C-alpha cells in the first residue's frame, strides 16, 4: 500500500521513462491509484473513488476468488500450450458452452489486439479474399493491422491515409449517424450501405474477407445497432464470400445484462462466424480468445502454418478465466448488470427530462451512454461540457469518461458488481454538475419531457414497433434503451 | 496437482475445442504436465522431466519470489497504465539501467508479438519509410505484420507470397549460410548483402524503415552472427534513413552469460535504435516491452495518436518483472548461464569429436545449438535423426527440441538455473542415443578430432583472429563458441 515514490516523483519518472504517446487519465492532474476492491479504487492518500469505467475489472477489482485461483496456479505450473493441460481444455469447454454450437474452436491469446488480428488472419485464409469492412469510429486494437481497421485511431493521425483494402461503413448510430431514429427501417438502411460497399469493391476487382464490428460500439460512442442489422449485414457479406466477425472484447461476458454476449441482442437468428473476446475475461489478467467454426479453423490449418502463442492459454490464464466464469455465475453478475443497468438508464433518462445538455441516453445492461449536446435539435456535440463533467465528477471521487468521435458521450462501463446505490450516487452528482453548467451557459429547460412509454422498453432492445410508438423526435430512444 | 480429466480425455477435448493449428510437443505422444519447479517439469504420473527448452521460465518454473510478488500485487491492485503507479515507473527505470543511456523510453505490452509490431510502427512513423529488411529463417511473432517479416513462418505456408515491402537478407550463419567460416570477413560479406538490398529497394523507389533481427537467431537455428556484423548493418541502414531493431525476446535477460543483452556480444560500439524484449521477462506471465530512443518516441507521439495497451504495464506485470530482475541478480543467474553454458558447449564439443552426426556446436551462455548432419563435408541436414534424438531423449525424461530451417539443430535454451549436473546428464544421454543411431546408420568416427585451441574461445564471442587461428575446416567454430 505504501508508495515507493511520492506522486511528483512518480510523474517525473513517468515523463522520463514511459512513451509520451501513453496518456494518463486527467492529464492535467492525473490520479495515482494504489489499491482497489470491487467497484472502488483508492489513491495514495486513501481517497476512495467510485469506478464507473473499468470494464476490465469485470467481477470487481481484486476479486478474492480470482486472485486465489491465479496465485494457486502460479505456484504449481505456468507453461505454454504445447504441453497438454486440463485448465486449457476445461476453459475452452466452458467458454464454448456460452455460445451457439457452431462456434466451437478456440484460440487463446494475450490481448484483444492479438485476438482481432488473429480473426483477420482466419478470415483472410478461409476466404482467400483481402478486403475488410469496418464501421466508422470503430476501435479494434493497437497492432498495425488493427489500426488500419480502426477509424477511431487512424482519424487521430495527422496526414493519415488508410489501407486500400479497408472499407469504412457508416456506424449504425441512429442518434447521430446517417440514418436516424426517424428512419422507418434503419437496420436495412445501414446494411444496404454495407451491400453498396461490397458492390463497389467488386467493381474494383476486390473481394471482401470479412465484416468486423463490435456488437455494441464502445469507443465509437456507446452505439447500439438497430435490431436485425447484423443479420442483414451477415447475409450480404456471406453472399460475397466473406465472414462476420463479432468483436465482444469490450462488451461481452454478461455486460449486456439480458444476454451473455452482446451479439445475441440482435436475435437468435444471428450467429457470427468468429467471436473475439478479451478485456473482462481475465479480470485484468492479460488474456483473450478467438472462437470460430470448425470449418474456418480447418481452413486456417490447411495453410500449413502452425499457430503458436507463447503465453496464450497457459494454465494460470485459464485458471483465472475459469474463476471469472464461476464468479459471474455465483454472484449472478449478469442479472445484476441487467437490473442496475436498467436503473442507471432510468435515472439518466429522468435527468434528460431535466437537463437540456443531455441529448440522448442509451444502453443495455451496464453499458450505458449519455450523449451531451449544446442544442437538441441540431445535436451539436457538447464536447467541452462533457470534459467539464468528467473533471468535476473526479472532484467528487467518481471516475467516468467521455468518448465517441466527438468525445461528448458520458460512458458507463463499470465493474459488474456496480450497485443501484452507486448508480444513484453518480447520477445525483451529474445532476448537480449539469445544473451548474447549464446555469453558466444559460440553457433553457427542455421542452420534450421524455417518452411516456419508456417503461416498456428500457433494459432490452426495442423492436421497431416500439420505436415507432415512441415517435421520431424522442432522441433518447436510440434503438435500445431510453 | 490432481487431474480434472484423464490424459485421453484431455487429448479428446483438445481435439474438440482447440484450434488444430495449435500443435503440441511430441505430437505422436504428447506430454501432460501438471506441475513444475526450477528446471524440472512433472507429468500426471509424477514422472520428472529435465527441461532444456523453456526459456520463458527464465529464473526457473514457479520461482517462489516471482509467484509471491505476483500474488501479492494481484490482491492489492491490477489496473491499466492510465493511472499513475509506482511499479510501472520503477520497473521502467530498472530495465533502462540494463541498457545504454540512449535507449530510455519504454512501452509495455503483453507479448513479444505486440512488442515487435509496435517496433515496426515506431520505425514506420519515425522514418516515414515503409520497407523492412529481415533475415532469412527469422521468426518475429504471430500477428499478421510479423508473419510478413518471418520467413520461418511464411515459408511454411502453401502458396505464400510475401509482402513487397519486406526484404529478406541472408541469415549470417557461417556454418550453413551463404558466407561460411572460411570467408576472411563474413561480417562484411553479410552486411554487404544488406547494403545491396537497400540499393535495390532505392532503385525501385522504395525506402527502408528498419532492419530487424534477433540478436542471436533462435528458431532460425541458434545462429550467432559474426562480430561486427550488426555495426556494419546499422551503418548501412542508418545511412539510408532507417533504424536498427534488435529483437531480444528469446535471447535477452542474461541468457548470453557474458552480457545481459545478446546485442552487446557485438561490442560496445553497437547500440540498436529499438530493443524488444519478451518471453523471459515475466517468467511466464504475459508481458513484454519495447525500449527506444527519446527521438523515436517523440516522432511516434507527433503522429497525434495515443498508444494505449489495456494490460501493458499493469501493476501485477511490473511487480513480477521487478521480481524476475531481483532473482537474476540475487541468484547470479547470468554468471550461472555463462559457466554452465560454457560447460555444456564443451561437453557437446567433446561429443562432436566422437560423433560424426554432430556437424557443428555453437552457443553463448545458455543458448546452445548442436547441428546434426549426415555428412560433414556436404553438411547434409540430419533432420530425421534430430527428431529421433528428441523423441529418445523424451524417453529418458529430457525435454529438448530440434529447430532451424532444416529442423536439425538440437536447441538448448533451458531455465537459467540449469546446472552443470543437468548438462552432463543431458549430454550423456545424447551420447548414448547418437551412438545407437550411428551404429544403425553405419557412420564412421569423424576424422577431424576437434580444434586444439578451443579452450581459448568457448563461451565468448570469437574475434576474427581467433577464428582464423582455428582454421577453415573446423566447422564447430561457428562465430562464437566451439
Amino acid at each position: 500500500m505504501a508508495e515507493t515514490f511520492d506522486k511528483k516523483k512518480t510523474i517525473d519518472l513517468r515523463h522520463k521513462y514511459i512513451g509520451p504517446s501513453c496518456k494518463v487519465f486527467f492529464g492535467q492532474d492525473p490520479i495515482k491509484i494504489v489499491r482497489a476492491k470491487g467497484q472502488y479504487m483508492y489513491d495514495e492518500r486513501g481517497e476512495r473513488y467510485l469506478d464507473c469505467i473499468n470494464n476490465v475489472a469485470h467481477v470487481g477489482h481484486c476479486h478474492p476468488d480470482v486472485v486465489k485461483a491465479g496465485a494457486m496456479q502460479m505456484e504449481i505450473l505456468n507453461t505454454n500450450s504445447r504441453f497438454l493441460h486440463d485448465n486449457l481444455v476445461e476453459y475452452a469447454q466452458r467458454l464454448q458452452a456460452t455460445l451457439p454450437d457452431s462456434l466451437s474452436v478456440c484460440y487463446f491469446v494475450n490481448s484483444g489486439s492479438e485476438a482481432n488480428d488473429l480473426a483477420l488472419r482466419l478470415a483472410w485464409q478461409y476466404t482467400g479474399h483481402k478486403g475488410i469492412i469496418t464501421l466508422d469510429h470503430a476501435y479494434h486494437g493497437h497492432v498495425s493491422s488493427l489500426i488500419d481497421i480502426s477509424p477511431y485511431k487512424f482519424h487521430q493521425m495527422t496526414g493519415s491515409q488508410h489501407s486500400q483494402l479497408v472499407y469504412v461503413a457508416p456506424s449504425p448510430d441512429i442518434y447521430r449517424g446517417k440514418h436516424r431514429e426517424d428512419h422507418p427501417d434503419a437496420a436495412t438502411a445501414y446494411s444496404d450501405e454495407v451491400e453498396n460497399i461490397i458492390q463497389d469493391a467488386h467493381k474494383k476487382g476486390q473481394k471482401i474477407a470479412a465484416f468486423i464490428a463490435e456488437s455494441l460500439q464502445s469507443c465509437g460512442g456507446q452505439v447500439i445497432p438497430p435490431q436485425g442489422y447484423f443479420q442483414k449485414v451477415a447475409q450480404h457479406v456471406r453472399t460475397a464470400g466473406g465472414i462476420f466477425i463479432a468483436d465482444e472484447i469490450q462488451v461481452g461476458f454478461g455486460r449486456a445484462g439480458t444476454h451473455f454476449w452482446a451479439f445475441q441482442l440482435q436475435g437468435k437468428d444471428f450467429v457470427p462466424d468468429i467471436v473475439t473476446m478479451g478485456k473482462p475475461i481475465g479480470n485484468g489478467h492479460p488474456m483473450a480468445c478467438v472462437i470460430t467454426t470448425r470449418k474456418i479453423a480447418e481452413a486456417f490449418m490447411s495453410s500449413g502454418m502452425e499457430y503458436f502463442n507463447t503465453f496464450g492459454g497457459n494454465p494460470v490464464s485459464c485458471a483465472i478465466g475459469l474463476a471469472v466464469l464461476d464468479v459471474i455465475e455465483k454472484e449472478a453478475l449478469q442479472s445484476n448488470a441487467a437490473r442496475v443497468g436498467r436503473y442507471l438508464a432510468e435515472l439518466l433518462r429522468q435527468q434528460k427530462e431535466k437537463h437540456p445538455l443531455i441529448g440522448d441516453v442509451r444502453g443495455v445492461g451496464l453499458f450505458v451512454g449519455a450523449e451531451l449536446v449544446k442544442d437538441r435539435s441540431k445535436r451539436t456535440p457538447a464536447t467541452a461540457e462533457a470534459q467539464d463533467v468528467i473533471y468535476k465528477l473526479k472532484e467528487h471521487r467518481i471516475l467516468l469518461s467521455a468518448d465517441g468521435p466527438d468525445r461528448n458521450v458520458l460512458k458507463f462501463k463499470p465493474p459488474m458488481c456496480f450497485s443501484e446505490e452507486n448508480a444513484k450516487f453518480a447520477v445525483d452528482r451529474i445532476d448537480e454538475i449539469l445544473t451548474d453548467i447549464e446555469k453558466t451557459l444559460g440553457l433553457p429547460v427542455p421542452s420534450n419531457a421524455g417518452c411516456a412509454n419508456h417503461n416498456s422498453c428500457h433494459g432490452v432492445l426495442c423492436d421497431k414497433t416500439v420505436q415507432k410508438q415512441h415517435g421520431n423526435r424522442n432522441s433518447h430512444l436510440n434503438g435500445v434503451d431510453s
Side-chain angles (χ1 to χ4, degrees), chain A residues 11 14-15 18-31 152-153 156 391 407:
Chain A
I11 294 172
R14 180 152 176 144
H15 285 149
I18 304 297
S21 308
C22 306
K23 305 293 186 197
V24 289
F25 284 126
F26 307 106
Q28 293 157 37
D29 180 25
I31 303 178
Y152 179 80
K153 296 299 275 189
Q156 288 175 27
Y391 266 87
R407 298 285 187 277

Side-chain angles (χ1 to χ4, degrees), chain A residues 450-470:
Chain A
C451 164
N453 288 332
H454 56 70
N455 287 321
S456 65
C457 64
H458 59 247
V460 292
L461 207 71
C462 276
D463 62 27
K464 276 174 288 175
T465 322
V466 178
Q467 280 182 43
K468 281 179 194 161
Q469 284 173 352
H470 282 291

